[in-house]
Amino acid sequence: MRYSKLLIPTVKEVPAEAEIPSHQLMIRAGFIRKLASGTYTYLPLGFRSLRKIAEIVRQEMDAAGAQEISMPILQPIELWQQTGREADYGPTMCKFEDRHGRVNALAPTAEEVVTSLVAAEVSSYKQLPLNLYQIHTKFRDEFRPRFGVLRSREFLMKDAYSFHASVESLDETYRAMYDAYCRIFSRCGLKYVAVEAESGPIGGSASHEFMVPCSAGEDVIVHTEDYSYAANIEKAEIDPAKRDPGPGTGNSAMEEVRTPNVGSIEAVCKFLGTQPRDMIKTLLYQSEGQVLVALVRGDHELNENKLAHAAGAAHMELAGESAIQHVTGAAVGFAGPMGLVEGGKIARLVVDHSVAAMASGVTGANRTDFHVKNVVPGRDFPLEGEKVLIADIRNAVEGDTRGGKPLKFSRGIEVGHVFKLGTKYSEKLGATYLDEQGVSHPCLMGCYGIGVNRILASAIEMGHDDNGCVLPVNIAPFEAVVVPLNADKPAVRDAAERIYSELLAGGADVLLDDRDARPGVKFKDADLIGLPLRIVVGERGLKEGMVEIKRRTDEKPALVPVAQAVAEARKILQEMKQG
Ligand code: ATP
Ligand code: MG
C-alpha cells in the first residue's frame, strides 16, 4: 500500500485525555479516534492490526476444533431473566425497548444466547462435544471507561462456548483452549502469564486468566518469584498465619473504652493509639435471609469471593444499618464478635486465619460509642463449634507466603479468560442431552473469552519507546516500510518502487512511503507507527549502491547492497516471525 493514499493522521502532541502510553500512541499514530466516552473508530492502520489479531485468534480456534458462528448483538431480555443474570449485570448492561415494547439488551456476553441455541439444536450425546465461537462486538456500559481501548464500552471479543456430556470431555476442551490461548498470545508477540482466577461451580483450578504483566493493568497478580504459583488477587491462596504473640499477653481481661463517634479503623487507631494490625474488623453480611459475620485483621482486606466460598453462600451482600443494629444492638461501626454466636442471632462466624492467630485485639463493643481492648480469640469469642469456621477470607498482602514461598504482587492486563461453567446455564435454559441409556442430563459447559482490542493496546503498552510504537511483526499494520528520501529523483524512486513491488510479490506486507515529504517527517512517522522493519533508499546511498535496513529495535541502520535488499529484508522478517 502507498502511504499517500491511506488515511494516517499522525499527531505530534500528546493527547491530553490519554493517561497511558498505549492510549496516547494509538491516537498519535493514527490508529484510533474517539467518538464518545468508551467508543472508538479504528482508522486503516489500527484496523489492519485488529484484523491480523482476529485472524490469529480465528486460526487457532479453528485448529483447536471450535466452529465459528455469528450471534446477534440484540438479545431478548427474557433470556437474561431466565438465568437471573439481568440483576448481576445491572447498569453495565445496555437495555432498551423496541417499537413493539419488547426489551432488548446489547450483548455484554453471549452465554444465554448460545445456550438457548444448543437447547434447541442438540438432543443427543452423539452431538457432543460442541465448541462454538464468534468474534463479535460486545457492549458494556463500564462505570469508568478508561485507557482508550483497554477498557472501552464497545469492544471486540472472541467468545467461545463448549458443551459436553462428561467432565473428562470438558477438561479436554478446556486444556485445548488453554493451549490455543498460549499460542495466540505468543503469536501476537505478548509476554503473558496464565493465572488462577476465581473459580466457578466446579472448583479447583477451573478458571484461568491470561494476563500481560504491566503497570497500567487494573488486575493484581499474586505470584511467587518464579511464577510457579500465580493467581489473581481475588483468588490467591495464602499459607495460614502462625500464632502471633502480638503486643498483649492474652492474659489481661477485656476492657471497654469509650470511643465517641469514632467508627472507622483509622479513627479508632488514632484515638486509642493502636495499630490497624491489632484491630479485629467485624463485618456483617446477609445471605439468603441469614446473617453471617466475618472477622479480618484491621490491616487486611476482606475478600468477598473467598468468604462466599468458605461459607458456601451463593449470594451475599453487606448487611444494612438496621440488620447491624438488630444483631449487635449498636450503631454501625461498633460491631464485635463477642456474644454473637451465643446470642443466636447469626448463622455463621467466619474467622480469618490471621485473626485466629492473634494473641489479642481491639474490636467494637456491640455498644454505640464503645470499643473493647484485650479481646482474646478463643476466649472472648469462639474459634470452635458448629457455627464457627476458620478460613482464608482475606486478600494476600506483602509478607504472605504460599507453600512457604514469599508472594509478590504485580499488575496485569487481562487479555483472556477460560472458565469451566458446569451446568449453571444449561440447567436454566434447558440445554440437555440424552445419554446412551436415553436419560436426560444438562450439558456441562465451558466458556473462553479474549479481548481482541486489548491485545493490540497491551502490545503497544509493552512495546514502545520515546519515538513511538514498537510493534510485533505478526500484528503490526504492515511488516515493513520502504522509505524513499527525495522521491522526486528518478533513481531513488525507481529503486524504492522495485524493492517495494518485489517484497509485495514475495508475500510481504509492505508500506511504501511515497509522500512528498521531508526525510525527517518520514522517519518520525515510521518510528511513531512502529513498523518492525524500515528500508531507506536515499540518493547518497544509491551512489555507493547501498540502501539502509533497520529493525525498529535497532539503534543504527545496516548498509546493504541494493541488489540484496529484498533478500535481506525477507530474511529478517522471517526471523522475526519465528520469534
Ligand atoms: P474485566 O475484569 O477487565 O472487566 P471481565 O472479566 O469482565 O473483564 P470477561 O467477561 O471475562 O471480562 O470478558 C472476556 C475478555 O473480554 C476479557 O478477558 C477482556 O480481555 C475483554 N474485555 C472485557 N471487558 C472489556 C472492556 N470493557 N474493554 C475491552 N475489553 C474488554
Ligand atoms: Mg474475566
Side-chain angles (χ1 to χ4, degrees):
M1 288 243 196
R2 288 165 190 275
Y3 203 126
S4 64
K5 304 279 186 295
L6 279 167
L7 177 63
I8 310 179
T10 57
V11 180
K12 265 208 208 89
E13 300 74 36
V14 177
E17 83 268 21
E19 297 167 66
I20 59 168
S22 59
H23 187 192
Q24 295 167 355
L25 286 171
M26 286 181 84
I27 294 171
R28 289 191 53 213
F31 283 24
I32 55 166
R33 285 295 181 265
K34 178 169 151 183
L35 174 65
S37 168
T39 58
Y40 291 87
T41 298
Y42 278 76
L43 303 181
L45 288 187
F47 197 59
R48 287 180 73 90
S49 279
L50 204 64
R51 259 179 29 198
K52 288 188 179 184
I53 296 166
E55 194 46 37
I56 291 172
V57 172
R58 180 173 285 119
Q59 285 169 3
E60 293 297 342
M61 284 296 107
D62 291 348
Q67 304 170 43
E68 188 168 12
I69 60 171
S70 174
M71 292 179 271
I73 295 177
L74 278 194
Q75 306 180 336
I77 199 68
E78 289 75 17
L79 281 178
W80 290 86
Q81 288 161 346
Q82 265 173 277
T83 58
R85 284 215 300 172
E86 187 188 6
D88 293 352
Y89 266 84
T92 302
M93 188 156 68
C94 175
K95 290 177 279 192
F96 65 94
E97 214 177 271
D98 65 20
R99 62 168 72 189
H100 301 294
R102 290 180 291 240
V103 177
N104 293 283
L106 290 184
T109 176
E111 281 84 1
E112 278 78 1
V113 174
V114 77
T115 310
S116 71
L117 174 82
V118 168
E121 307 304 330
V122 170
S123 52
S124 161
Y125 73 95
K126 290 181 192 152
Q127 294 165 279
L128 300 173
L130 184 63
N131 190 358
L132 301 171
Y133 80 97
Q134 63 175 353
I135 300 175
H136 217 319
T137 299
K138 297 287 177 295
F139 189 92
R140 292 181 185 177
D141 200 355
E142 299 278 2
F143 181 69
R144 198 172 166 210
R146 61 198 293 223
F147 299 155
V149 301
L150 267 186
R151 182 169 299 283
S152 51
R153 295 199 297 160
E154 197 178 309
F155 57 98
L156 194 59
M157 191 199 284
K158 186 286 296 176
D159 43 330
Y161 307 89
S162 68
F163 297 82
H164 309 268
S166 71
V167 172
E168 295 72 37
S169 167
L170 170 59
D171 287 346
E172 200 180 306
T173 297
Y174 185 85
R175 196 69 228 173
M177 287 290 106
Y178 183 106
D179 293 343
Y181 274 39
C182 294
R183 286 192 297 274
I184 288 167
F185 299 125
S186 300
R187 285 180 65 185
C188 289
L190 291 180
K191 292 210 166 56
Y192 66 91
V193 276
V195 310
E196 285 181 21
E198 188 35 42
S199 51
I202 295 186
S205 51
S207 170
H208 287 89
E209 285 166 348
F210 289 79
M211 300 271 195
V212 175
C214 167
S215 59
E218 294 182 277
D219 284 274
V220 177
I221 309 171
V222 179
H223 58 93
T224 52
E225 180 84 54
D226 58 0
Y227 278 90
S228 59
Y229 179 75
N232 190 313
I233 189 142
E234 289 167 14
K235 155 92 183 176
E237 294 155 6
I238 43 191
D239 293 335
K242 299 202 174 61
R243 185 92 186 160
D244 179 356
T249 60
N251 293 330
S252 324
M254 284 200 287
E255 182 192 335
E256 246 184 24
V257 277
R258 211 169 107 79
T259 49
N261 299 320
V262 274
S264 75
I265 295 280
E266 298 72 44
V268 177
C269 284
K270 212 168 147 202
F271 191 85
L272 295 177
T274 69
Q275 301 297 319
R277 59 167 296 130
D278 300 320
M279 302 262 325
I280 300 169
K281 245 193 290 195
T282 307
L283 296 149
L284 280 76
Y285 279 85
Q286 262 162 330
S287 170
E288 282 140 34
Q290 294 188 312
V291 175
L292 192 149
V293 174
L295 304 182
V296 289
R297 237 168 55 183
D299 58 334
H300 288 155
E301 211 175 308
L302 180 91
N303 179 315
E304 291 189 355
N305 286 316
K306 288 185 177 180
L307 175 62
H309 278 299
H315 289 285
M316 218 182 56
E317 55 187 13
L318 270 172
E321 214 173 309
S322 64
I324 293 175
Q325 268 173 359
H326 172 73
V327 171
T328 66
V332 175
F334 301 95
M338 302 77 61
L340 295 186
V341 173
E342 302 84 333
K345 281 187 187 153
I346 67 168
R348 244 326 148 47
L349 178 69
V350 189
V351 185
D352 185 66
H353 286 296
S354 305
V355 170
M358 286 168 87
S360 74
V362 177
T363 190
N366 294 330
R367 184 177 165 202
T368 304
D369 289 341
F370 283 89
H371 277 78
V372 198
K373 299 207 283 197
N374 309 326
V375 175
V376 178
R379 183 191 75 182
D380 302 322
F381 62 87
L383 290 178
E384 285 170 357
E386 209 187 312
K387 289 186 173 178
V388 183
L389 200 67
I390 299 178
D392 172 15
I393 56 167
R394 66 171 172 90
N395 285 339
V397 292
E398 209 73 52
D400 281 330
T401 58
R402 187 177 183 280
K405 290 185 185 171
L407 290 172
K408 310 233 167 273
F409 296 77
S410 308
R411 290 201 156 267
I413 299 171
E414 180 194 324
V415 285
H417 194 172
V418 292
F419 207 100
K420 289 183 194 172
L421 293 168
T423 56
K424 176 173 170 185
Y425 298 93
S426 49
E427 269 176 36
K428 288 185 172 137
L429 294 162
T432 57
Y433 67 92
L434 297 176
D435 66 16
E436 281 174 77
Q437 279 74 45
V439 180
S440 174
H441 306 274
C443 295
L444 282 165
M445 286 175 62
C447 73
Y448 319 92
I450 285 186
V452 179
N453 325 65
R454 263 192 201 176
I455 292 183
L456 178 55
S458 32
I460 297 175
E461 196 58 37
M462 297 315 288
H464 67 266
D465 60 18
D466 291 346
N467 300 321
C469 306
V470 182
L471 283 165
V473 71
N474 289 333
I475 68 169
F478 292 94
E479 294 166 351
V481 57
V482 178
V483 185
L485 308 176
N486 328 99
D488 52 327
K489 302 278 186 300
V492 171
R493 194 180 51 224
D494 292 350
E497 289 278 351
R498 196 179 48 75
I499 293 170
Y500 168 63
S501 29
E502 277 182 32
L503 280 173
L504 270 189
D509 190 19
V510 201
L511 178 68
L512 176 68
D513 192 348
D514 59 341
R515 290 177 299 169
D516 178 18
R518 279 181 290 113
V521 171
K522 291 187 174 185
F523 286 140
K524 274 218 163 59
D525 280 341
D527 275 352
L528 180 56
I529 294 167
L531 302 180
L533 193 66
R534 192 185 79 186
I535 303 151
V536 174
V537 185
E539 207 181 10
R540 223 181 316 148
L542 273 190
K543 279 190 186 137
E544 323 268 299
M546 296 293 202
V547 295
E548 287 182 357
I549 294 193
K550 180 181 168 304
R551 292 178 191 82
R552 178 64 178 80
T553 49
D554 290 339
E555 275 290 316
K556 286 205 169 74
L559 282 176
V560 177
V562 195
Q564 281 162 36
V566 170
E568 181 62 18
R570 280 193 196 133
K571 197 181 109 214
I572 297 175
L573 288 176
Q574 200 53 39
E575 282 165 10
M576 284 179 173
K577 285 182 193 171
Q578 277 157 4

